[in-house]
């Protein structure tokens, strides 16, 4: 049962900024405006790395949380 879990890699805004080379402010704004998937863990915002990469590659329809559901 646990073998079928697909756990996404979640990064802090600082980690995502280091990996992508984008400004921390820009990544934070993408998360707050629901352009990329993110969750709050206390005061931190955790970014789904795969969805961030999809967004950067131009796949905005798939990641737009407002269009989903």
């Amino acid at each position: 049962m646990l073998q079928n879990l697909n756990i996404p890699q979640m990064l802090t805004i600082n980690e995502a900024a280091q990996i992508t080379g984008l400004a921390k402010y820009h990544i934070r704004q993408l998360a707050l405006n629901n352009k990329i998937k993110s969750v709050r863990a206390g005061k931190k915002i955790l970014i789904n790395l795969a969805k961030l990469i999809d967004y950067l590659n131009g796949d905005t329809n798939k990641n737009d949380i407002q269009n989903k559901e």
Side-chain angles (χ1 to χ4, degrees):
M1 185 163 134
L2 293 176
Q3 298 165 352
N4 295 332
L5 286 178
N6 185 12
I7 300 172
Q9 183 177 2
M10 303 299 284
L11 304 173
T12 64
I13 289 176
N14 289 338
E15 293 169 335
Q18 288 176 343
I19 288 173
T20 62
L22 296 173
K24 292 183 278 187
Y25 175 82
H26 184 67
I27 294 173
R28 185 178 301 109
Q29 290 305 309
L30 290 173
L32 294 176
N33 292 321
N34 294 326
K35 298 291 184 181
I36 56 174
K37 287 195 177 191
S38 64
V39 293
R40 282 203 175 261
K43 291 183 178 182
K44 290 186 178 184
I45 298 174
L46 298 176
I47 307 296
N48 182 320
L49 178 60
K51 299 301 179 185
L52 174 59
I53 291 170
D54 286 346
Y55 178 83
L56 295 175
N57 285 328
D59 196 3
T60 56
N61 291 335
K62 206 166 148 182
N63 293 324
D64 194 349
I65 296 170
Q66 294 173 345
N67 286 342
K68 197 172 185 181
E69 299 176 341

